[in-house]
Amino acid sequence: MAQAAAHEPRNSAEPLLSLRGISKSFGAVRALAEVDLDVPAGQVTALVGDNGAGKSVTIKTIAGIHTPDTGQILWQGNPVQIRTPREASELGIETVYQDLALADNLDIVQNMFLGRERLRHWALDEEDMERSAGETLRDLQVTTVRSIRQPVASLSGGQRQSVAIAKAVLWNSKLVVMDEPTAALGVAQTRHVLDLVRRLADQGLAVLMVSHNMIDVFEVADRVAVLFLGRVVAVRPAAELDLRVVVDLMTAGASTRLGEKGGDGDT
């Protein structure tokens, strides 16, 4: 039975991001129903649920890809509308999707600045971009790449994930949303990515991580939010949960074992 890692959550006066009563339908299919979720800074919040529970729709709503039908999004306590990925980015929200959206034919620096290239005298400022990319990778302790100018096609899965995360952090992000960051990675690469996820939270960023891997969730998460049929059925400190309880919540929307870990939690 997997046990929660003993992280010490940072206290915050208010959540960085809050969803209040968010609902979203696609035709006759109701993907999200009155979703309430807080994402605090300095913590890793894991978003889990079975296939079709609404995880992807939730993060795409936060990322500005889907506009909710009803409900409100609060950013640092203030109501906001996130209608496009650019608006999300302007707030400080960056999303790393499972496919990573990296260009294999470009090098690490080019990928990290793709679409946001820096110019000097109407030409690419290669020196400044190299310096910023290198500093970001060093700050995140990404040391496995031999050169920031090597093509992304030459990187391992873990290295690619690290570059995608560093790309998100580069833009002064406050919230990093990750969709299955350890999918299809080996043991050593998974360990490296989980360490990187934990490092982001320890540096004060908010992290929202979608994952099917409960071992990874309990390894790195401070809080766990469980979706069931488009509804949030529990948001609890990871230390109050275990694998059996989370599986119950994911598959049935409730668990008779929930009280065994103690505490009332958030939901």
Side-chain angles (χ1 to χ4, degrees):
M1 181 175 65
Q3 297 293 330
H7 303 303
E8 292 293 336
R10 299 187 181 192
N11 293 323
S12 179
E14 62 186 19
L16 181 67
L17 174 79
S18 296
L19 306 183
R20 293 289 178 264
I22 295 294
S23 296
K24 180 66 179 178
S25 296
F26 298 94
V29 178
R30 196 173 196 191
L32 299 179
E34 301 294 325
V35 167
D36 290 339
L37 178 65
D38 291 335
V39 183
Q43 297 186 31
V44 177
T45 301
L47 184 63
V48 303
D50 206 352
N51 290 336
K55 303 184 301 297
S56 293
V57 178
T58 299
I59 65 172
K60 287 181 178 179
T61 298
I62 294 170
I65 295 175
H66 296 320
T67 302
D69 299 328
T70 60
Q72 190 174 55
I73 300 176
L74 303 176
W75 181 255
Q76 296 179 317
N78 299 311
V80 295
Q81 289 187 325
I82 307 177
R83 293 160 295 195
T84 65
R86 180 177 292 276
E87 289 183 349
S89 181
E90 288 172 351
L91 288 173
I93 301 170
E94 296 289 341
T95 303
V96 181
Y97 295 102
Q98 191 170 348
D99 61 8
L100 301 182
L102 297 177
D104 284 348
N105 61 315
L106 302 179
D107 64 33
I108 292 173
V109 176
Q110 290 168 327
N111 267 280
M112 290 179 67
F113 283 90
L114 188 61
R116 299 173 175 177
E117 291 82 0
R118 293 179 181 174
L119 301 177
R120 186 169 181 265
H121 302 313
W122 305 103
L124 290 176
D125 193 341
E126 299 283 1
E127 183 178 347
D128 186 53
M129 290 189 291
E130 281 190 14
R131 182 173 57 253
S132 295
E135 288 175 353
T136 301
L137 292 168
R138 283 193 298 274
D139 287 345
L140 294 175
Q141 298 178 31
V142 178
T143 59
T144 58
V145 296
R146 68 174 186 271
S147 168
I148 58 175
R149 282 303 186 180
Q150 68 183 99
V152 162
S154 69
L155 302 179
S156 68
Q159 290 171 328
R160 291 169 64 92
Q161 185 66 255
S162 297
V163 169
I165 294 171
K167 178 181 179 180
V169 173
L170 178 65
W171 303 105
N172 297 317
S173 57
K174 298 177 181 177
L175 166 61
V176 178
V177 181
M178 299 184 191
D179 182 17
E180 300 286 353
T182 61
L185 298 184
V187 174
Q189 294 175 347
T190 294
R191 175 74 269 156
H192 175 77
V193 171
L194 291 179
D195 287 345
L196 184 52
V197 170
R198 189 67 246 163
R199 203 170 295 129
L200 294 180
D202 290 343
Q203 291 178 358
L205 276 71
V207 179
L208 180 62
M209 182 181 80
V210 172
S211 180
H212 280 96
N213 190 318
M214 291 301 105
I215 295 176
D216 291 353
V217 166
F218 282 109
E219 175 74 18
V220 76
D222 298 291
R223 304 163 68 252
V224 180
V226 185
L227 278 168
F228 175 74
L229 299 180
R231 296 181 180 273
V232 174
V233 294
V235 183
R236 298 257 178 154
E240 294 181 4
L241 300 170
D242 62 26
L243 179 59
R244 296 179 306 164
V245 172
V246 173
V247 170
D248 287 347
L249 292 167
M250 288 172 56
T251 56
S255 176
T256 58
R257 292 184 278 238
L258 194 55
E260 296 176 12
K261 294 293 287 183
D264 294 329
D266 302 315
T267 299

